[in-house]
C-alpha cells in the first residue's frame, strides 16, 4: 500500500520447516495467506502439508504450526497435531476465529477450530472439483477459484457450489479476489 515490501518471516536462506521467532522461522512451499481482524496471519504450507500461524509479538512475529504433521501428506481429521493434509493451498479466517483450509490434494475444505480439524465439504457434497483459492463473500458464502472445473464458484457450507459466469472460458484459475464494488477478479 505504501510502496514498501517487508519480509515478515522466512526467506530464501530459511527454507524448510522451523517454528519460532520470525527471524529464524523456515517455510517449505508457503502458498496462501490470510490475516485475521486481530492481526494473526495463517499460512497454508503446500509442501510441508501444514498450516502455520504468525502471531504478533513486541519485536515481530512468532511462527507456530497449528495443524498438520510436517512433511506427511494424507487425510485425517481430528486433533490438529495429528491431522493430515495433502497440499493445502488457501486459508480463510472465519468470524468465530476458525480457519478454513482448501486442501487440494484431498479435494476438501477443512476447518481448524479449538485444536481440532474437521472436514466441512467434499467435492461430491459441494459440487466443486479442485478448489485452489477461496475468499469470503460476505453473507453470500465464499468465492472459489476451481482449477478442476476451470470456473469461479460461489459456495456456502452445506450447499452446492454455483458456477459464476458459466459462459466465460477460464484456464486453470488459481486465485480469486473482489472489491467493494462487487467486482470479482479471477
Amino acid at each position: 500500500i505504501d510502496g514498501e515490501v517487508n519480509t515478515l518471516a522466512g526467506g530464501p536462506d530459511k527454507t524448510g520447516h522451523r517454528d519460532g521467532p520470525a527471524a529464524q522461522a523456515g517455510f517449505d512451499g508457503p502458498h496462501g495467506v490470510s490475516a485475521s481482524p486481530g492481526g494473526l496471519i495463517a499460512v497454508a504450507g503446500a509442501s510441508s502439508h501444514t498450516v502455520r500461524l504468525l502471531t504478533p509479538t513486541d519485536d515481530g512475529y512468532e511462527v507456530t504450526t497449528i495443524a498438520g504433521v510436517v512433511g506427511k501428506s494424507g487425510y485425517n481429521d481430528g486433533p490438529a497435531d495429528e491431522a493430515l493434509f495433502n497440499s493445502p493451498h488457501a486459508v480463510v479466517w472465519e468470524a468465530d476465529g476458525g480457519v478454513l483450509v482448501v486442501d487440494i490434494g484431498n479435494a476438501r475444505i477443512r476447518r481448524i477450530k479449538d485444536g481440532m480439524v474437521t472436514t466441512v465439504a467434499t467435492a461430491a457434497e459441494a459440487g466443486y472439483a479442485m478448489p485452489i483459492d477461496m475468499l469470503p463473500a460476505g453473507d453470500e458464502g465464499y468465492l472459489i477459484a476451481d482449477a478442476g472445473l476451470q470456473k469461479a464458484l460461489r459456495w456456502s457450507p452445506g450447499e452446492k457450489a454455483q458456477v459464476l459466469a458459466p459462459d466465460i472460458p477460464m484456464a486453470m484459475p488459481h486465485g480469486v479476489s473482489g472489491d467493494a464494488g462487487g467486482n470479482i477478479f479471477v
Side-chain angles (χ1 to χ4, degrees):
I1 293 175
D2 60 5
E4 294 289 321
V5 176
N6 297 302
T7 299
L8 299 181
D13 60 335
K14 295 178 180 75
T15 59
H17 185 101
R18 278 183 313 285
D19 286 342
Q24 286 87 39
F27 288 83
D28 187 16
H31 206 277
V33 299
S34 181
S36 76
L40 300 172
I41 301 171
V43 180
S47 298
S48 64
H49 309 292
T50 60
V51 177
R52 314 283 292 284
L53 185 67
L54 280 72
T55 303
T57 64
D58 290 339
D59 57 349
Y61 289 89
E62 182 75 18
V63 179
T64 55
T65 301
I66 60 168
V69 177
V70 178
K72 186 173 182 182
S73 67
Y75 170 73
N76 185 47
D77 281 343
D81 61 351
E82 297 173 14
L84 297 179
F85 294 89
N86 189 351
S87 195
H89 265 58
V91 286
V92 174
W93 287 95
E94 295 180 293
D96 67 359
V99 177
L100 292 180
V101 181
V102 175
D103 185 357
I104 68 166
N106 289 310
R108 295 173 189 267
I109 297 174
R110 319 271 297 279
R111 183 173 198 249
I112 305 167
K113 177 74 171 147
D114 298 327
M116 297 295 288
V117 174
T118 56
T119 295
V120 175
T122 66
E125 295 167 347
Y128 55 73
M130 187 188 351
I132 296 285
D133 195 16
M134 188 165 66
L135 174 77
D139 293 339
E140 299 181 43
Y142 299 90
L143 300 176
I144 294 176
D146 190 317
L149 292 177
Q150 299 195 37
K151 296 291 180 190
L153 310 173
R154 185 177 305 279
W155 168 78
S156 293
E159 297 180 12
K160 288 281 190 185
Q162 297 180 358
V163 176
L164 301 175
D167 297 332
I168 297 175
M170 295 183 187
M172 299 297 287
H174 270 66
V176 62
S177 189
D179 67 14
N183 295 306
I184 298 170
F185 304 94
V186 181

